[in-house]
Amino acid sequence: MTDEDGYFGESVAATYDESSAEEFQPEVVGTVVDFLAGLAGDGRALELGIGTGRVALPLARRGVPVHGIDLSRAMVDRLRAKPGGDTIGVTIGDFATTKVEGTFSVACLVFNTIMNLTTQDAQVDCFRNVAAHLEPGGRFVIEVMVPELRKLPAGQTVVPFHVSPTRWAFDDYDVATQQVSSNYVEVVDGHGRYRSIPFRYVWPAELDLMARLAGLRLCERWEGWTRDPFTSESGGHVSVWEKPAA
């Protein structure tokens, strides 16, 4: 199973780094890598949705052995083409169920990627899959948004998040099913292009229950990678669950 013709196929992979340029800034990546390297210690890291290597490559340069899982061969091809990319092991597959050899001291799922699993069952399976790969005392780290439902007045389902003369982007929520789609309209050379990607948003407390089902327990939750406190006003969170020591 691959994503060659799906939501992260060649057309998306070709411009992914540029379209997410803010996330590739050294100061942004540096805080992520500092956080993960501290948890990894002398162990290995498993990155789910490794993509083009935004996190994996600098983490590997810090001396942390990294293995990745990703459904998109096109994204992984971009990783492979970068310096050091050919030294990182990657398994092509669905990170909710794909198994790899060995155990890891830390596993991570960053930049809202847990929401690419569009059912609750798949998200639960992801936690169970990670738990099976963690060594005793290992940690699972997720970075994800807090659903922006407070921005929705009664009867409205759409939250815009980018508006410019040539690009419009908005999220469309279904609060009954926790389904949300990110929708993009772009004008290129005078022609309009539309793209929509489905997600399933998930609440912090729901993630904690998924972790408990997998035998993990919450040990940290922050607003972001710099460990600012998570509050009712936070727009996202970085959460860490631990596998009990043997």
Side-chain angles (χ1 to χ4, degrees), residues 142-157:
I142 286 182
E143 175 196 22
V144 67
M145 63 175 280
V146 174
E148 297 186 302
L149 302 191
R150 292 168 65 183
K151 294 183 178 180
L152 291 175
Q156 181 174 319
T157 64

Side-chain angles (χ1 to χ4, degrees), residues 141-192:
V141 184
I142 286 182
E143 175 196 22
V144 67
M145 63 175 280
V146 174
E148 297 186 302
L149 302 191
R150 292 168 65 183
K151 294 183 178 180
L152 291 175
Q156 181 174 319
T157 64
V158 171
V159 176
F161 60 88
H162 181 89
V163 177
S164 73
T166 58
R167 186 171 183 261
W168 302 267
F170 60 91
D171 287 331
D172 191 358
Y173 286 85
D174 183 338
V175 298
T177 63
Q178 291 183 216
Q179 298 295 311
V180 58
S181 62
S182 291
N183 301 272
Y184 305 86
V185 179
E186 297 179 88
V187 177
V188 179
D189 297 329
H191 298 281

Side-chain angles (χ1 to χ4, degrees), residues 13 16-17 20 23-25 29-30 32-33 36 47-62 66-70 72-90 108 110-111 113:
Y16 180 80
D17 290 11
S20 304
E23 297 296 320
F24 282 81
Q25 293 299 313
V29 175
V32 180
V33 171
L36 295 173
E47 185 177 4
L48 311 182
I50 193 171
T52 65
R54 179 180 71 96
V55 172
L57 287 169
L59 188 58
R61 287 195 291 268
R62 286 281 294 270
V66 181
H67 191 94
I69 300 175
D70 205 290
S72 171
R73 293 186 184 276
M75 296 285 275
V76 173
D77 286 344
R78 265 53 186 195
L79 162 65
R80 294 286 187 229
K82 295 177 181 179
D86 58 345
T87 67
I88 295 176
V90 180
C108 63
V110 304
F111 199 25
T113 306

Side-chain angles (χ1 to χ4, degrees), residues 123-246:
Q123 291 171 347
V124 169
D125 287 342
C126 177
F127 272 85
R128 288 177 169 151
N129 192 32
V130 166
H133 285 90
L134 288 177
E135 61 189 33
R139 310 290 180 89
F140 182 27
V141 184
I142 286 182
E143 175 196 22
V144 67
M145 63 175 280
V146 174
E148 297 186 302
L149 302 191
R150 292 168 65 183
K151 294 183 178 180
L152 291 175
Q156 181 174 319
T157 64
V158 171
V159 176
F161 60 88
H162 181 89
V163 177
S164 73
T166 58
R167 186 171 183 261
W168 302 267
F170 60 91
D171 287 331
D172 191 358
Y173 286 85
D174 183 338
V175 298
T177 63
Q178 291 183 216
Q179 298 295 311
V180 58
S181 62
S182 291
N183 301 272
Y184 305 86
V185 179
E186 297 179 88
V187 177
V188 179
D189 297 329
H191 298 281
R193 182 171 61 192
Y194 172 73
R195 180 166 60 95
S196 181
I197 304 176
F199 301 99
R200 181 186 186 270
Y201 67 81
V202 59
W203 298 99
E206 187 181 9
L207 290 168
D208 292 344
L209 286 173
M210 293 179 185
R212 291 182 65 182
L213 289 171
L216 308 178
R217 65 175 183 86
L218 180 70
C219 57
E220 298 181 52
R221 173 163 289 135
W222 309 99
E223 183 174 272
W225 297 105
T226 56
R227 288 186 165 90
D228 294 322
F230 177 73
T231 73
S232 59
E233 300 302 315
S234 297
H237 61 99
V238 172
S239 296
V240 183
W241 297 272
E242 184 178 36
K243 183 174 181 176

